[in-house]
Amino acid sequence: GEDGTLRQWEAKSGRAIGEPLRGHQGEVWSAAYSADGSRIVSAGADGTLRQWEAKSGRAIGAPLRGHQGGVRSAAYSADGSRIVSAGDDGTLRQWEAKSGRAIGAPLRGHLGLVRSAAYSADGSRIVSAGADGTLRQWEAKSGRAIGEPLRGHQGAVISAAYSADGSRIVSAGGDGTLRQ
């Protein structure tokens, strides 16, 4: 939320679960559960990522720092071992979920801020969506870009995700369209 907190909600009833999770020093722009539901990662305008125990709401370790500027998006790999983040500095970063250490150098290729990033179900690839109007794919292990940028939206790409089998990507654009 804009108030710097995260909330968990009971899906069936819509009731809030527990107290708000506090720790970011500014707006929280993204939150995602690990596949097993035990952890939450959040990304914020304060330039940090934070991990939380889903059940207790307690923060796990220190904030993850590495972007220059706000962090727009964060997501776990399917096995929960890695986190990918997308930042206002035009980079993506990967992190070891357990230790919070950055993995390798920042991934660079977008011309402007990166709005979202997501792993493929098998964890081998990352897709990123940029304000430069492009999508990019990356090899998760090496950090190398795969192919040329994908273009088709008229303006910023807000979000992107892989299909469950990894054969397709869906993207949402600021132009009001979805593309596959």
Side-chain angles (χ1 to χ4, degrees):
E2 290 182 355
D3 62 358
T5 69
L6 290 88
R7 302 270 342 211
Q8 293 188 77
W9 304 89
E10 190 175 276
K12 262 188 174 174
S13 70
R15 287 190 301 253
I17 300 170
E19 294 297 314
L21 310 183
R22 300 180 191 284
H24 283 280
Q25 305 300 308
E27 294 179 13
V28 180
W29 287 336
S30 174
Y33 282 101
S34 59
D36 67 4
S38 68
R39 290 173 286 149
I40 299 167
V41 64
S42 58
D46 62 0
T48 69
L49 293 100
R50 298 197 63 116
Q51 292 191 82
W52 312 84
E53 292 177 357
K55 192 169 188 170
S56 69
R58 285 191 294 257
I60 300 171
L64 310 183
R65 300 179 189 278
H67 285 281
Q68 304 300 312
V71 184
R72 295 283 169 167
S73 172
Y76 285 103
S77 59
D79 68 3
S81 67
R82 290 182 175 208
I83 296 167
V84 64
S85 59
D88 283 355
D89 58 3
T91 70
L92 291 93
R93 305 280 326 230
Q94 290 191 83
W95 311 84
E96 291 178 358
K98 192 169 190 171
S99 69
R101 285 192 288 268
I103 300 170
L107 309 183
R108 300 180 188 281
H110 284 283
L111 305 174
L113 68 90
V114 185
R115 301 293 297 259
S116 91
Y119 285 101
S120 59
D122 67 3
S124 68
R125 291 172 288 149
I126 297 167
V127 63
S128 57
D132 61 1
T134 69
L135 296 148
R136 296 197 66 113
Q137 291 191 83
W138 312 84
E139 291 178 358
K141 191 171 184 178
S142 70
R144 285 193 297 265
I146 300 170
E148 293 297 314
L150 307 176
R151 302 177 191 283
H153 288 285
Q154 303 300 311
V157 185
I158 308 300
S159 181
Y162 285 101
S163 61
D165 67 1
S167 68
R168 292 178 177 232
I169 297 168
V170 64
S171 59
D175 59 3
T177 66
L178 295 172
R179 296 192 66 98
Q180 290 190 77

